[in-house]
Coordinates of all heavy atoms in Angstrom, one line a residue:
M1 N 89.9 150.5 94.1 CA 89.3 150.4 95.5 C 89.0 148.8 95.8 O 89.2 148.4 96.9 CB 87.9 151.1 95.4 CG 87.1 150.9 96.7 SD 87.1 152.4 97.7 CE 85.6 152.1 98.6
Q2 N 88.4 148.1 94.8 CA 88.2 146.7 95.0 C 89.4 145.9 95.3 O 89.5 144.9 96.1 CB 87.5 146.1 93.7 CG 87.0 144.7 93.9 CD 86.2 144.3 92.9 OE1 86.0 144.9 91.9 NE2 85.7 143.1 92.8
I3 N 90.6 146.2 94.6 CA 91.9 145.7 94.8 C 92.3 145.7 96.2 O 92.8 144.9 96.8 CB 92.9 146.3 93.8 CG1 92.5 146.0 92.3 CG2 94.3 145.8 94.0 CD1 92.5 144.5 91.9
E4 N 92.1 146.9 96.8 CA 92.5 147.1 98.2 C 91.8 146.1 99.2 O 92.3 145.8 100.1 CB 92.3 148.7 98.6 CG 93.3 149.5 97.9 CD 92.8 151.0 98.1 OE1 92.1 151.2 99.2 OE2 93.3 151.9 97.5
V5 N 90.5 146.0 98.9 CA 89.7 145.1 99.7 C 90.3 143.7 99.5 O 90.4 142.9 100.5 CB 88.3 145.2 99.3 CG1 87.3 144.1 99.9 CG2 87.7 146.5 99.6
V6 N 90.7 143.3 98.3 CA 91.1 141.8 98.1 C 92.4 141.7 98.9 O 92.7 140.8 99.5 CB 91.3 141.6 96.6 CG1 92.0 140.3 96.4 CG2 89.8 141.5 95.9
N7 N 93.3 142.8 98.7 CA 94.7 142.9 99.3 C 94.5 142.7 100.9 O 95.2 142.1 101.5 CB 95.5 144.2 99.0 CG 95.8 144.1 97.5 OD1 95.5 143.1 96.7 ND2 96.2 145.2 97.1
A8 N 93.5 143.5 101.5 CA 93.4 143.5 102.8 C 92.9 142.0 103.3 O 93.2 141.5 104.3 CB 92.4 144.5 103.2
R9 N 92.1 141.6 102.4 CA 91.5 140.2 102.7 C 92.7 139.1 102.7 O 92.7 138.2 103.5 CB 90.5 139.7 101.7 CG 89.8 138.4 102.2 CD 88.6 138.1 101.4 NE 88.0 136.9 101.8 CZ 87.6 135.8 101.0 NH1 87.8 136.0 99.7 NH2 87.1 134.8 101.4
A10 N 93.5 139.1 101.8 CA 94.7 138.4 101.6 C 95.6 138.4 102.9 O 96.0 137.4 103.4 CB 95.5 138.6 100.3
R11 N 95.8 139.7 103.2 CA 96.7 139.9 104.5 C 96.0 139.3 105.7 O 96.7 138.6 106.6 CB 96.7 141.4 104.8 CG 97.9 142.0 104.0 CD 98.2 143.4 104.5 NE 98.7 144.2 103.4 CZ 98.1 145.2 102.7 NH1 96.9 145.5 103.2 NH2 98.6 145.8 101.7
S12 N 94.6 139.5 105.9 CA 94.0 139.0 106.9 C 94.0 137.4 106.9 O 94.2 136.7 108.0 CB 92.4 139.4 107.0 OG 91.7 138.7 107.9
R13 N 93.7 136.8 105.8 CA 93.7 135.3 105.8 C 95.1 134.8 106.0 O 95.2 133.7 106.7 CB 93.2 134.8 104.4 CG 91.6 135.3 104.3 CD 91.1 134.5 103.1 NE 90.9 133.1 103.5 CZ 90.6 132.2 102.6 NH1 90.3 132.5 101.4 NH2 90.4 131.0 103.0
Y14 N 96.1 135.5 105.5 CA 97.6 135.1 105.9 C 97.8 135.2 107.4 O 98.5 134.3 107.9 CB 98.6 135.7 105.0 CG 100.0 135.3 105.2 CD1 100.5 134.1 104.7 CD2 100.8 136.0 106.2 CE1 101.7 133.7 105.0 CE2 102.2 135.6 106.4 CZ 102.5 134.4 105.9 OH 103.8 133.9 106.1
G15 N 97.3 136.2 108.0 CA 97.5 136.3 109.4 C 96.8 135.2 110.1 O 97.4 134.6 111.2
Q16 N 95.7 134.8 109.8 CA 95.0 133.8 110.3 C 95.7 132.4 110.2 O 95.7 131.6 111.2 CB 93.5 133.6 109.8 CG 92.6 134.8 110.2 CD 91.3 134.7 109.3 OE1 91.1 133.9 108.4 NE2 90.4 135.6 109.6
F17 N 96.2 132.1 109.0 CA 97.0 131.1 108.8 C 98.2 130.9 109.6 O 98.5 129.9 110.3 CB 97.5 131.0 107.3 CG 98.3 130.0 106.9 CD1 97.9 128.6 107.0 CD2 99.6 130.0 106.5 CE1 98.6 127.4 106.6 CE2 100.4 129.1 106.1 CZ 100.0 127.7 106.2
V18 N 99.0 132.1 109.9 CA 100.1 132.1 110.8 C 99.7 131.9 112.1 O 100.2 131.2 113.0 CB 100.9 133.5 110.7 CG1 102.0 133.7 111.8 CG2 101.5 133.5 109.3
S19 N 98.5 132.6 112.6 CA 98.1 132.4 114.0 C 97.6 130.8 114.1 O 97.9 130.3 115.3 CB 96.8 133.1 114.3 OG 97.2 134.5 114.2
A20 N 97.1 130.1 113.2 CA 96.8 128.7 113.3 C 98.0 128.0 113.6 O 98.1 127.0 114.3 CB 95.9 128.3 112.2
M21 N 99.0 128.1 112.8 CA 100.4 127.6 112.9 C 100.9 127.8 114.4 O 101.6 126.8 114.9 CB 101.4 127.9 111.8 CG 101.0 127.3 110.5 SD 102.3 127.6 109.3 CE 102.5 129.3 109.3
D22 N 100.9 129.0 114.9 CA 101.3 129.3 116.2 C 100.5 128.4 117.2 O 101.0 127.9 118.1 CB 101.2 130.8 116.6 CG 102.0 131.5 115.7 OD1 103.1 130.9 115.2 OD2 101.9 132.8 115.6
M23 N 99.2 128.2 117.0 CA 98.3 127.5 118.0 C 98.7 126.0 118.0 O 98.7 125.5 119.0 CB 96.8 127.7 117.6 CG 96.3 129.0 117.9 SD 94.5 129.3 117.5 CE 93.8 127.8 118.2
V24 N 99.1 125.5 116.8 CA 99.5 124.1 116.7 C 100.8 124.0 117.4 O 101.0 123.0 118.1 CB 99.6 123.7 115.2 CG1 100.2 122.3 115.0 CG2 98.2 123.7 114.5
L25 N 101.6 124.9 117.2 CA 103.0 124.8 118.0 C 102.8 124.7 119.4 O 103.4 124.1 120.1 CB 103.9 126.0 117.4 CG 105.3 126.0 118.0 CD1 106.1 124.7 117.6 CD2 106.0 127.3 117.7
E26 N 102.0 125.7 119.8 CA 101.7 125.8 121.4 C 101.2 124.4 121.9 O 101.5 124.0 122.9 CB 100.8 127.0 121.8 CG 101.3 128.3 121.5 CD 100.4 129.4 121.8 OE1 99.4 129.2 122.5 OE2 100.7 130.5 121.3
A27 N 100.2 123.9 121.1 CA 99.5 122.7 121.5 C 100.6 121.5 121.5 O 100.6 120.7 122.4 CB 98.5 122.3 120.6
L28 N 101.4 121.5 120.5 CA 102.5 120.5 120.5 C 103.5 120.5 121.6 O 104.1 119.6 122.1 CB 103.1 120.5 119.2 CG 102.5 119.8 118.0 CD1 103.2 120.1 116.7 CD2 102.0 118.5 118.2
E29 N 103.7 121.8 122.2 CA 104.7 122.0 123.3 C 104.1 121.4 124.6 O 104.9 121.0 125.5 CB 105.0 123.5 123.4 CG 106.0 123.9 122.2 CD 106.2 125.3 122.2 OE1 105.3 126.1 122.9 OE2 107.0 125.9 121.6
R30 N 102.8 121.2 124.6 CA 102.1 120.7 125.9 C 102.1 119.3 125.7 O 101.7 118.6 126.7 CB 100.8 121.3 125.9 CG 100.7 122.9 126.2 CD 99.2 123.1 126.2 NE 99.3 124.7 126.2 CZ 98.2 125.4 125.6 NH1 97.2 124.7 125.2 NH2 98.3 126.5 125.5
V31 N 102.6 118.5 124.6 CA 102.5 117.3 124.6 C 103.7 116.5 125.3 O 103.6 115.4 125.8 CB 102.6 116.8 123.1 CG1 102.8 115.3 122.8 CG2 101.3 117.2 122.4
D32 N 104.8 117.1 125.5 CA 105.8 116.5 126.3 C 105.7 116.0 127.5 O 106.0 114.8 127.9 CB 107.1 117.5 126.3 CG 107.7 117.9 125.0 OD1 107.6 117.0 124.1 OD2 108.3 119.0 124.9
P33 N 104.9 116.6 128.6 CA 104.6 116.0 129.7 C 103.7 114.8 129.6 O 103.9 113.9 130.3 CB 104.0 117.2 130.5 CG 104.3 118.4 129.9 CD 104.6 118.0 128.5
L34 N 102.9 114.8 128.6 CA 101.9 113.7 128.4 C 102.8 112.4 127.9 O 102.5 111.2 128.3 CB 100.9 113.9 127.4 CG 99.9 115.1 127.8 CD1 98.9 115.4 126.7 CD2 99.2 114.5 129.1
I35 N 103.8 112.7 127.0 CA 104.5 111.6 126.5 C 105.4 111.0 127.6 O 105.6 109.8 127.7 CB 105.5 112.1 125.4 CG1 104.6 112.4 124.2 CG2 106.6 111.0 125.1 CD1 105.4 113.0 123.1
E36 N 105.9 111.9 128.6 CA 106.7 111.4 129.6 C 105.8 110.6 130.6 O 106.4 109.7 131.3 CB 107.3 112.5 130.4 CG 108.4 113.3 129.6 CD 108.8 114.5 130.4 OE1 108.4 114.8 131.5 OE2 109.6 115.3 129.8
R37 N 104.6 110.8 130.7 CA 103.7 110.0 131.5 C 103.4 108.6 131.0 O 102.7 107.7 131.7 CB 102.3 110.7 131.9 CG 102.6 112.0 132.7 CD 101.3 112.8 133.0 NE 100.2 111.9 133.4 CZ 99.0 112.3 133.3 NH1 98.8 113.4 132.9 NH2 98.0 111.4 133.7
V38 N 103.7 108.3 129.7 CA 103.4 106.9 129.2 C 104.2 106.1 129.7 O 105.4 106.2 129.8 CB 103.5 107.0 127.6 CG1 103.5 105.6 127.1 CG2 102.6 108.0 127.0
D39 N 103.6 104.9 130.4 CA 104.3 103.9 130.9 C 104.5 102.6 130.0 O 103.4 102.0 129.7 CB 103.7 103.5 132.3 CG 104.4 102.3 133.0 OD1 105.6 102.1 132.7 OD2 103.9 101.9 134.0
D40 N 105.6 102.5 129.4 CA 105.8 101.4 128.4 C 105.6 100.0 129.0 O 105.4 99.0 128.4 CB 107.2 101.4 127.8 CG 107.2 102.7 126.8 OD1 106.2 103.2 126.3 OD2 108.4 103.0 126.6
K41 N 105.8 99.9 130.4 CA 105.9 98.6 131.1 C 104.3 98.2 131.2 O 104.1 97.0 131.2 CB 106.7 98.6 132.3 CG 108.1 98.8 132.1 CD 108.8 99.0 133.3 CE 110.3 99.5 133.1 NZ 110.9 100.1 134.2
H42 N 103.5 99.1 131.6 CA 102.1 98.7 132.0 C 101.2 99.0 130.6 O 100.9 100.2 130.3 CB 101.6 99.7 133.1 CG 100.1 99.4 133.4 ND1 99.7 98.3 133.9 CD2 99.1 100.1 133.2 CE1 98.4 98.3 134.1 NE2 98.0 99.4 133.8
R43 N 100.8 98.0 130.0 CA 100.0 98.0 128.8 C 98.6 97.7 129.2 O 98.2 96.6 129.9 CB 100.5 97.1 127.8 CG 101.8 97.4 127.3 CD 101.8 98.5 126.4 NE 102.9 98.7 125.7 CZ 103.1 99.2 124.5 NH1 101.9 99.8 123.9 NH2 104.2 99.5 123.9
P44 N 97.6 98.7 128.8 CA 96.2 98.2 129.3 C 95.8 97.0 128.3 O 96.2 97.0 127.2 CB 95.3 99.4 129.0 CG 96.4 100.3 128.0 CD 97.7 99.9 128.3
G45 N 95.0 96.0 129.0 CA 94.6 94.9 128.2 C 93.7 95.3 127.0 O 92.8 96.0 127.2
G46 N 94.0 94.6 126.0 CA 93.1 94.9 124.8 C 93.3 96.0 124.0 O 92.7 96.2 122.9
F47 N 94.2 96.9 124.4 CA 94.4 98.2 123.8 C 95.9 98.3 123.2 O 96.7 97.7 123.7 CB 94.2 99.5 124.6 CG 92.8 99.6 124.9 CD1 92.4 99.3 126.3 CD2 91.9 100.2 124.2 CE1 91.1 99.4 126.7 CE2 90.6 100.5 124.5 CZ 90.2 100.1 125.8
T48 N 96.1 98.8 122.0 CA 97.4 99.0 121.4 C 97.7 100.5 121.6 O 97.0 101.4 121.2 CB 97.3 98.7 120.1 OG1 97.0 97.3 119.8 CG2 98.7 99.0 119.4
V49 N 98.7 100.7 122.4 CA 99.1 102.1 122.9 C 100.6 102.2 122.2 O 101.4 101.3 122.3 CB 99.2 102.3 124.2 CG1 99.6 103.7 124.7 CG2 97.8 102.1 124.9
A50 N 100.9 103.4 121.7 CA 102.2 103.8 121.2 C 103.1 103.8 122.4 O 102.9 104.2 123.4 CB 102.1 105.0 120.4
T51 N 104.4 103.4 122.1 CA 105.5 103.5 123.1 C 106.0 105.0 123.2 O 105.6 105.8 122.3 CB 106.7 102.6 122.8 OG1 107.2 103.1 121.6 CG2 106.2 101.2 122.7
Q52 N 106.7 105.2 124.2 CA 107.4 106.6 124.4 C 108.2 106.9 123.1 O 108.1 108.2 122.5 CB 108.0 106.7 125.7 CG 107.4 107.1 126.9 CD 108.2 107.5 128.0 OE1 109.5 107.1 128.0 NE2 107.7 108.1 129.1
D53 N 108.9 106.0 122.7 CA 109.9 106.2 121.6 C 108.9 106.6 120.4 O 109.3 107.5 119.5 CB 110.8 105.2 121.4 CG 111.8 104.9 122.4 OD1 112.1 106.0 123.0 OD2 112.4 103.8 122.5
E54 N 108.0 105.8 120.1 CA 107.1 106.1 119.0 C 106.5 107.5 119.1 O 106.3 108.2 118.1 CB 106.0 105.1 118.9 CG 106.5 103.6 118.4 CD 105.5 102.7 118.5 OE1 104.5 102.6 119.4 OE2 105.4 101.7 117.7
L55 N 105.9 107.9 120.2 CA 105.2 109.1 120.4 C 106.2 110.3 120.3 O 105.9 111.3 119.6 CB 104.7 109.3 121.8 CG 103.4 108.3 122.0 CD1 103.0 108.3 123.5 CD2 102.3 108.7 121.2
I56 N 107.4 110.1 120.7 CA 108.6 111.1 120.5 C 108.8 111.3 118.9 O 109.0 112.4 118.4 CB 109.7 110.7 121.3 CG1 109.6 110.9 122.7 CG2 110.9 111.5 120.7 CD1 110.6 110.3 123.7
G57 N 108.9 110.1 118.3 CA 109.1 110.1 116.8 C 108.0 110.9 116.1 O 108.3 111.5 115.1
Y58 N 106.6 110.6 116.6 CA 105.6 111.3 115.9 C 105.7 112.8 116.2 O 105.4 113.6 115.2 CB 104.3 110.7 116.4 CG 104.0 109.2 116.1 CD1 103.3 108.5 117.1 CD2 104.4 108.6 115.0 CE1 103.0 107.1 116.8 CE2 104.1 107.3 114.7 CZ 103.3 106.5 115.7 OH 103.1 105.3 115.4
R59 N 106.0 113.1 117.4 CA 106.0 114.6 117.9 C 107.3 115.2 116.9 O 106.9 116.3 116.4 CB 106.4 114.6 119.3 CG 106.5 116.0 119.7 CD 107.1 116.1 121.1 NE 107.8 117.3 121.5 CZ 109.0 117.7 121.1 NH1 109.7 116.8 120.5 NH2 109.5 118.8 121.4
R60 N 108.3 114.5 116.8 CA 109.5 115.1 115.9 C 109.0 115.3 114.5 O 109.4 116.4 113.9 CB 110.7 114.2 116.1 CG 111.9 114.7 115.3 CD 113.1 113.9 115.6 NE 113.4 113.8 117.0 CZ 113.5 112.4 117.6 NH1 113.3 111.4 116.9 NH2 113.7 112.4 118.9
A61 N 108.3 114.2 113.9 CA 108.0 114.4 112.6 C 106.8 115.5 112.3 O 106.8 116.2 111.4 CB 107.2 113.0 112.1
T62 N 106.1 115.6 113.3 CA 105.1 116.8 113.3 C 105.7 118.1 113.3 O 105.4 119.0 112.6 CB 104.0 116.6 114.4 OG1 103.4 115.3 114.4 CG2 102.9 117.7 114.4
F63 N 106.8 118.2 114.2 CA 107.4 119.5 114.2 C 108.2 119.8 113.0 O 108.2 120.9 112.6 CB 108.5 119.5 115.5 CG 107.9 120.1 116.8 CD1 107.8 119.2 117.8 CD2 107.6 121.3 116.8 CE1 107.2 119.7 119.0 CE2 107.1 121.8 118.1 CZ 107.0 121.0 119.2
D64 N 108.8 118.7 112.4 CA 109.4 119.0 111.2 C 108.5 119.3 110.1 O 108.8 120.2 109.2 CB 110.3 117.6 110.7 CG 111.3 117.3 111.6 OD1 111.8 118.2 112.5 OD2 112.0 116.0 111.6
A65 N 107.3 118.6 110.0 CA 106.3 119.0 109.0 C 105.8 120.6 109.2 O 105.7 121.3 108.2 CB 105.1 118.2 108.9
L66 N 105.7 121.0 110.5 CA 105.3 122.3 110.7 C 106.3 123.2 110.4 O 106.0 124.4 109.8 CB 104.9 122.5 112.2 CG 104.3 123.8 112.6 CD1 103.0 124.0 112.0 CD2 104.1 123.7 114.2
D67 N 107.6 123.0 110.6 CA 108.7 123.9 110.2 C 108.7 124.0 108.6 O 109.0 125.1 108.3 CB 110.0 123.3 110.8 CG 110.3 123.7 112.2 OD1 109.6 124.4 112.8 OD2 111.1 123.0 112.8
D68 N 108.7 122.9 108.0 CA 108.5 122.9 106.5 C 107.4 123.8 106.1 O 107.5 124.6 105.1 CB 108.3 121.5 105.9 CG 108.3 121.5 104.4 OD1 109.3 122.2 103.9 OD2 107.5 120.9 103.9
L69 N 106.2 123.6 106.6 CA 105.1 124.5 106.3 C 105.4 126.0 106.6 O 105.0 126.8 105.8 CB 103.9 124.1 107.1 CG 102.6 124.8 106.7 CD1 102.1 124.6 105.3 CD2 101.5 124.1 107.6
R70 N 105.9 126.2 107.7 CA 106.4 127.7 108.0 C 107.3 128.1 107.0 O 107.2 129.4 106.6 CB 107.0 127.8 109.4 CG 106.0 127.7 110.4 CD 106.8 127.9 111.8 NE 105.8 127.9 112.9 CZ 105.0 128.9 113.4 NH1 105.3 130.1 112.7 NH2 104.2 128.8 114.3
G71 N 108.3 127.5 106.6 CA 109.3 127.9 105.5 C 108.6 128.1 104.3 O 108.9 129.1 103.6
R72 N 107.6 127.3 103.9 CA 106.9 127.5 102.5 C 106.1 128.8 102.8 O 105.9 129.6 101.8 CB 106.0 126.4 102.2 CG 106.9 125.2 101.8 CD 105.9 124.0 101.6 NE 106.6 122.8 101.3 CZ 106.2 121.7 100.7 NH1 104.9 121.9 100.2 NH2 106.8 120.8 100.4
A73 N 105.5 128.9 104.0 CA 104.6 130.3 104.2 C 105.5 131.5 104.1 O 104.9 132.4 103.4 CB 103.9 130.0 105.5
K74 N 106.5 131.4 104.6 CA 107.5 132.6 104.5 C 107.8 132.9 103.0 O 107.8 134.1 102.7 CB 108.8 132.5 105.3 CG 108.6 132.5 106.8 CD 108.2 133.9 107.1 CE 107.9 134.0 108.7 NZ 107.5 135.3 109.1
K75 N 108.1 132.0 102.3 CA 108.5 132.1 100.8 C 107.2 132.7 100.2 O 107.3 133.6 99.3 CB 108.9 130.8 100.2 CG 110.3 130.4 100.5 CD 110.6 129.2 99.9 CE 111.9 128.6 100.3 NZ 112.2 127.4 99.6
Y76 N 106.0 132.2 100.3 CA 104.8 132.7 99.8 C 104.5 134.0 100.3 O 104.0 135.0 99.6 CB 103.6 131.8 100.2 CG 102.4 132.0 99.4 CD1 102.3 131.9 98.1 CD2 101.2 132.5 100.0 CE1 101.2 132.3 97.3 CE2 100.1 132.7 99.3 CZ 100.0 132.5 98.0 OH 98.8 132.8 97.3
E77 N 104.7 134.5 101.6 CA 104.5 135.8 102.1 C 105.4 136.7 101.4 O 105.0 137.8 100.9 CB 104.9 135.9 103.6 CG 104.6 137.2 104.1 CD 105.1 137.3 105.5 OE1 105.9 136.4 106.1 OE2 104.7 138.1 106.3
A78 N 106.8 136.4 101.1 CA 107.7 137.3 100.4 C 107.1 137.5 99.1 O 107.1 138.6 98.5 CB 109.0 136.6 100.5
E79 N 106.6 136.4 98.5 CA 106.0 136.6 97.0 C 104.7 137.5 97.1 O 104.7 138.4 96.3 CB 105.6 135.3 96.5 CG 105.1 135.3 95.0 CD 104.7 134.0 94.6 OE1 105.3 133.0 95.0 OE2 103.7 133.9 93.7
L80 N 104.0 137.3 98.1 CA 102.8 138.2 98.0 C 103.2 139.7 98.5 O 102.5 140.6 97.9 CB 101.7 137.7 99.3 CG 101.1 136.6 99.0 CD1 100.3 136.0 100.3 CD2 100.0 136.7 98.0
V81 N 104.1 139.9 99.3 CA 104.5 141.2 99.6 C 105.1 141.9 98.3 O 104.8 143.1 98.1 CB 105.5 141.3 100.8 CG1 106.3 142.6 101.0 CG2 104.9 140.8 102.1
S82 N 105.9 141.0 97.6 CA 106.4 141.8 96.4 C 105.4 142.2 95.4 O 105.5 143.0 94.4 CB 107.4 140.9 95.7 OG 106.8 139.7 95.1
R83 N 104.2 141.4 95.4 CA 103.1 141.7 94.5 C 102.0 142.6 95.2 O 100.9 142.7 94.8 CB 102.5 140.5 94.0 CG 103.4 139.6 93.2 CD 102.7 138.5 92.6 NE 102.2 137.7 93.7 CZ 101.3 136.6 93.5 NH1 100.9 136.3 92.3 NH2 100.9 135.9 94.6
D84 N 102.4 143.2 96.3 CA 101.5 144.1 97.1 C 100.2 143.3 97.5 O 99.1 143.8 97.5 CB 100.9 145.4 96.2 CG 102.1 146.3 96.1 OD1 103.0 146.3 97.0 OD2 102.2 147.0 95.1
W85 N 100.3 142.1 97.9 CA 99.3 141.2 98.4 C 98.3 140.8 97.3 O 97.2 140.6 97.7 CB 98.8 141.7 99.7 CG 99.7 141.6 100.8 CD1 100.5 142.7 101.1 CD2 99.9 140.4 101.7 NE1 101.3 142.3 102.3 CE2 100.9 141.0 102.6 CE3 99.6 139.2 101.7 CZ2 101.5 140.1 103.5 CZ3 99.9 138.5 102.9 CH2 101.0 139.0 103.7
R86 N 98.7 141.0 96.1 CA 97.7 140.6 95.0 C 97.7 139.1 95.0 O 98.9 138.6 94.7 CB 98.0 141.3 93.8 CG 97.5 142.7 93.8 CD 97.9 143.3 92.6 NE 99.3 143.3 92.4 CZ 100.1 144.2 91.8 NH1 99.5 145.2 91.2 NH2 101.4 144.1 91.8
L87 N 96.6 138.4 94.8 CA 96.6 137.0 94.6 C 96.8 136.6 93.1 O 96.6 137.2 92.3 CB 95.4 136.4 95.1 CG 95.1 136.7 96.6 CD1 93.8 136.2 97.0 CD2 96.2 136.0 97.5

C-alpha cells in the first residue's frame, strides 16, 4: 500500500516536471517577437543591451539545453516505467 503511494507521487512529480518544461518552451516561443523589436542601431545611453544576434544565440542555446533536458527526462521516464515508478 505504501509503495503505491510513493509510485503515485513519483508519477505526479514527473508530470509536474514535464509541465514545467512545457511552460518554459511556451515562454521561449514568445521571445521571438521581442528579439525582432530590438534595434541594434539605437542604443540607450549608459546601458549595455545585447544585440539581436546575441539574443538569438542565447535563445538557441536555451532551446538546445531544454531539448537535452527533455531527452534525459525521457530516458529517466523509461527507467521509472520499467521499475513501476519505484524510486
Side-chain angles (χ1 to χ4, degrees):
M1 175 110 157
Q2 185 176 4
I3 297 295
E4 293 174 13
V5 172
V6 172
N7 295 353
R9 184 169 184 233
R11 278 191 211 112
S12 172
R13 293 192 76 194
Y14 182 78
Q16 291 171 356
F17 176 65
V18 170
S19 295
M21 286 190 296
D22 291 341
M23 287 176 56
V24 169
L25 182 63
E26 288 176 20
L28 287 174
E29 289 173 347
R30 295 183 193 146
V31 169
D32 290 336
L34 296 175
I35 292 174
E36 290 175 10
R37 289 178 48 199
V38 171
D39 186 7
D40 288 338
K41 295 174 186 155
H42 176 68
R43 297 285 191 155
F47 292 99
T48 302
V49 179
T51 64
Q52 274 189 343
D53 291 337
E54 290 173 330
L55 293 172
I56 290 170
Y58 296 149
R59 181 190 156 279
R60 185 176 304 122
T62 304
F63 269 111
D64 291 345
L66 186 60
D67 283 342
D68 181 49
L69 183 61
R70 282 183 178 278
R72 290 180 188 199
K74 284 293 180 186
K75 287 180 184 177
Y76 188 63
E77 179 186 18
E79 183 180 329
L80 285 172
V81 168
S82 72
R83 294 185 300 168
D84 293 328
W85 291 90
R86 286 179 295 217
L87 301 175

